[in-house]
Amino acid sequence: MKKMTLYILAFLLITSFSAAKAIGQTKETLKGNISISGAFALYPLTVKWAEEFRKIHPGVKFDISAGGAGKGMTDALSKMVDIGLVSREIYPEEMKKGAYAIAVTKDAVVPTVSAANPNIKDILANGLDRDAAVNIYITGKAKTWGQAIGTSSKVPIRIYTRSDACGAGETWAKYLGKKQEDLLGVGVFGDPGLAQAVTKDPSGIAYNNIGYAYDAKTKQPNPGIKVLPLDINNNGKIDPDEDFYKTMDDIVNAIASGKYPSPPARDLYFVTSGKPVKKELIEFIRWSLTEGQKYVFDSGYINLSKEKLGKGLAQIK
């Protein structure tokens, strides 16, 4: 009986050692480099995903840069990177060139103003309806804040827009029924640049992805910025069910529930040139659509539906 017990213990030790070794080998066998560029909107979450993925697969290295959705698409199609980050719908002509798009999360573009705007109380109380936004960014008819929000204010509006081809500009323009090139304003490169411009200008108006309008840690609007509420029902004021901008969690929940319109809410995509074939690339995309989704909400993004996530997984099988 004693000898049998020793045999069993020896067997269990060998089995445990073999299993541990196999796990270690699994971690080490996934090696390679993944290069990523593109949309500022998706950049912070992608960096978080890469950090967490490397804890499981330290043999995989990442090179990630932000430069706008247009750059991400161009880099992906030219195979300069493995993944292009794109924060807008994919155009048919891009699909013909081999763009293989997988939706991975969702966020939104929000209009932003300086916290030092002399009309800030009226701006937050009255909000911005779609017609007023068109008159600011498309026709140029609204030249003062009073004309934009229905008050007597003569403070001029200074308009800022993105100078780079980007998903935020395209999405904001789509909400207004136009394209990015139709937007008026002083061109500023990148989401951080646009946020900085409006922060420094008390009369300014811009638009930002929520990840640049809010601080991901405090969940509060970034210092110097206020998110301009959308008067969705066009009644000249922000009603209680339209008032969801105080924190990042508030706006994220509003997007998830459909209270915030789409556009400016939109899906965000990983784009590759053709169907992914690199083992480490497929595994990273698969992980982002499964285990990686637990980091989405806390990072200020919205989880896609199970159906959309399932479609993404089917795309990389």
Side-chain angles (χ1 to χ4, degrees):
M1 184 67 179
K2 188 175 181 180
K3 186 181 285 187
M4 180 62 71
T5 302
L6 289 172
Y7 279 135
I8 293 172
L9 286 172
F11 174 77
L12 289 173
L13 283 171
I14 292 170
T15 303
S16 298
F17 176 76
S18 299
K21 187 177 179 182
I23 292 171
Q25 287 175 340
T26 300
K27 282 188 177 183
E28 292 305 317
T29 51
L30 194 62
K31 294 181 179 180
N33 297 294
I34 297 176
S35 54
I36 303 173
S37 77
F40 284 92
L42 191 47
Y43 175 79
L45 180 57
T46 303
V47 169
K48 176 64 175 176
W49 276 342
E51 290 172 351
E52 297 300 327
F53 186 78
R54 288 204 68 227
K55 291 177 183 178
I56 307 167
H57 303 288
V60 179
K61 311 298 181 185
F62 286 87
D63 179 7
I64 308 173
S65 63
K71 186 177 188 308
M73 179 61 76
T74 299
D75 288 352
L77 290 179
S78 64
K79 299 184 180 180
M80 288 184 63
V81 297
D82 296 303
I83 296 175
L85 307 178
V86 179
S87 52
R88 57 164 172 75
E89 293 302 311
I90 312 303
Y91 305 142
E93 55 267 30
E94 292 168 339
M95 294 181 188
K96 289 179 181 177
K97 293 177 181 179
Y100 197 79
I102 299 171
V104 292
T105 188
K106 185 174 184 175
D107 83 334
V109 178
V110 292
T112 49
V113 297
S114 169
N117 189 302
N119 300 281
I120 196 64
K121 287 186 178 179
D122 289 334
I123 288 172
L124 297 180
N126 296 6
L128 183 74
D129 65 35
R130 186 178 174 280
D131 289 341
V134 168
N135 286 334
I136 293 172
Y137 265 101
I138 305 300
T139 67
K141 290 180 180 179
K143 300 186 182 301
T144 69
W145 277 103
Q147 291 171 336
I149 59 174
T151 68
S152 60
S153 173
K154 302 298 182 183
V155 175
I157 299 174
R158 278 191 283 272
I159 309 166
Y160 296 94
T161 188
R162 288 277 289 274
S163 62
D164 52 310
C166 67
E170 191 66 26
T171 301
W172 181 243
K174 188 175 181 181
Y175 172 62
L176 305 179
K178 295 290 183 176
K179 294 185 176 296
Q180 183 181 350
E181 53 266 32
D182 299 315
L183 296 176
L184 300 175
V186 176
V188 181
F189 177 79
D191 225 321
L194 205 54
Q196 186 177 37
V198 77
T199 299
K200 292 181 176 180
D201 188 346
S203 294
I205 184 171
Y207 50 85
N208 287 99
N209 298 300
I210 57 176
Y212 294 86
Y214 295 87
D215 185 298
K217 292 182 179 178
T218 67
K219 306 294 186 179
Q220 301 298 315
N222 277 317
I225 282 183
K226 289 292 184 182
V227 177
L228 202 171
L230 293 183
D231 176 18
I232 299 167
N233 62 10
N234 301 314
N235 68 348
K237 63 180 181 178
I238 298 301
D239 297 316
D241 63 346
E242 296 173 317
D243 187 13
F244 39 69
Y245 300 88
K246 290 183 176 64
T247 71
M248 179 181 275
D249 288 351
D250 290 338
I251 182 68
V252 165
N253 284 323
I255 297 165
S257 66
K259 287 184 177 181
Y260 191 79
S262 181
R266 51 20 192 327
D267 290 348
L268 305 178
Y269 298 88
F270 280 174
V271 175
T272 58
S273 179
K275 188 174 181 178
V277 293
K278 286 170 56 174
K279 183 179 179 182
E280 64 272 18
L281 181 58
I282 292 171
E283 180 57 23
F284 174 63
I285 297 173
R286 186 205 65 77
W287 180 90
S288 299
L289 292 169
T290 52
E291 293 96 320
Q293 289 294 302
K294 67 184 177 184
Y295 302 104
V296 167
F297 182 84
D298 286 342
S299 298
Y301 297 79
I302 297 88
N303 293 93
L304 295 176
S305 65
K306 290 182 179 179
E307 289 76 17
K308 281 190 176 180
L309 291 172
K311 180 182 177 182
L313 290 170
Q315 286 179 259
I316 57 171
K317 277 188 178 178

